[in-house]
Amino acid sequence: LRFDDGSSAYLTRTPSSAGNRRTFTFSAWVKRGPSLATTDKVIFDAGTGNAADFRIRLSDTNFFDLLSYNGSSYDFNIRTNQVFRDVSAWYHILVAFDTTQATDTNRIKIYVNGTQLTSFSTATYPSQDFEGFINNTSAHALGKYSWADSAYVDSYMAEVNLVDGTALTPSSFGELKNGIWIPKDTSGLTFGDQG
C-alpha cells in the first residue's frame, strides 16, 4: 500500500462488534516516504473522537510513539530514544499489547525488525486490565488519525496484521534469512473476532 500524505491517503474500518480490548498484536512493514517528518505521522489509530484515541505514530522528530489519550490525560505514553530516519529501509513494527500482565513493562512490548525496544525517553504503561480503543466499535484507521483528517503518513505499508486476543512475538510475522529480517506467511495465524 502506498500512503501519500499529499494526497491524504488512508484506510479506515469500524468493527461491528467489540473484540478483546485488553490483548492484541499489531504488525506492519513500513517504508518511509522521501521526506522526513516535520509533523506527527500516524501509522495506525483507533478512537472515539475529540483526540480520544490509541496511536502508533512517527513523531515530528522521527521518534516512534505509542500512546493512548482519553481526551484529558494519557492512559499510557511510550516514546523511543531511537529515531527512524532511513527512507531506504523497510521497518517491521510490532506492538504486543496485553494489559492482563501483572508487571507493567510486560503490558506493552514494541519490536522493530525482530528486536525488542527497551530504551525510551518516555515510558508510562497502562493499568492492569486496562481496556483500550483497539478492537472496540470505533473507527480504526491506517495512515491518519481515526477522528480527524490530519497527521497523514507518508509511507509504504505491507503485510499489515491485527490479531485480536493474542500478544504475539516477531517470529509469528518474520524470520531471518541471510542475516536479513524478512516477512513470512501469516495465513496460519488465528486472528480472533476482530483481527
Side-chain angles (χ1 to χ4, degrees), residues 1-10 30-43 58 62 84 86-87 89 142-144 151-157:
L1 303 170
R2 179 175 177 263
F3 292 85
D4 175 12
D5 57 352
S7 300
S8 303
Y10 69 95
V30 179
K31 182 178 186 289
R32 305 203 56 176
S35 58
L36 293 176
T38 54
T39 59
D40 294 335
K41 302 291 186 179
V42 172
I43 296 168
L58 290 162
N62 300 293
F84 299 91
D86 189 346
V87 297
L142 284 174
K144 75 172 191 79
Y152 293 99
V153 76
D154 191 48
S155 75
Y156 295 91
M157 288 193 214

Side-chain angles (χ1 to χ4, degrees), residues 92 94 111 114 168-175 181 184-186 189:
H92 177 223
L94 185 143
Y111 302 84
L168 298 172
T169 62
S171 62
S172 295
F173 304 93
E175 60 190 350
W181 187 252
K184 69 181 189 182
D185 185 3
T186 59
L189 291 180

Side-chain angles (χ1 to χ4, degrees), residues 41-183:
K41 302 291 186 179
V42 172
I43 296 168
F44 182 53
D45 186 271
T48 58
N50 298 319
D53 64 342
F54 166 95
R55 308 171 195 174
I56 298 174
R57 70 182 182 189
L58 290 162
S59 75
D60 57 355
T61 49
N62 300 293
F63 295 97
F64 180 70
D65 283 341
L66 175 68
L67 59 93
S68 179
Y69 190 71
N70 60 31
S72 60
S73 62
Y74 291 104
D75 301 307
F76 57 85
N77 187 6
I78 299 172
R79 172 173 279 193
T80 65
N81 278 317
Q82 182 179 351
V83 293
F84 299 91
R85 295 189 180 119
D86 189 346
V87 297
S88 66
W90 283 92
Y91 295 107
H92 177 223
I93 296 169
L94 185 143
V95 174
F97 190 93
D98 184 359
T99 64
T100 67
Q101 297 294 317
T103 303
D104 62 355
T105 54
N106 288 334
R107 295 175 197 153
I108 297 176
K109 294 181 180 178
I110 302 169
Y111 302 84
V112 175
N113 295 336
T115 300
Q116 185 175 355
L117 302 184
T118 57
S119 178
F120 304 109
S121 60
T122 301
T124 57
Y125 291 88
S127 59
Q128 189 169 17
D129 295 321
F130 169 79
E131 291 189 332
F133 294 101
I134 302 296
N135 295 323
N136 199 6
T137 55
S138 55
H140 291 49
L142 284 174
K144 75 172 191 79
Y145 288 127
S146 59
W147 48 272
D149 293 328
S150 62
Y152 293 99
V153 76
D154 191 48
S155 75
Y156 295 91
M157 288 193 214
E159 303 288 339
V160 178
N161 290 276
L162 177 63
V163 177
D164 175 7
T166 311
L168 298 172
T169 62
S171 62
S172 295
F173 304 93
E175 60 190 350
L176 283 172
K177 185 173 183 180
N178 298 324
I180 299 172
W181 187 252
I182 63 168

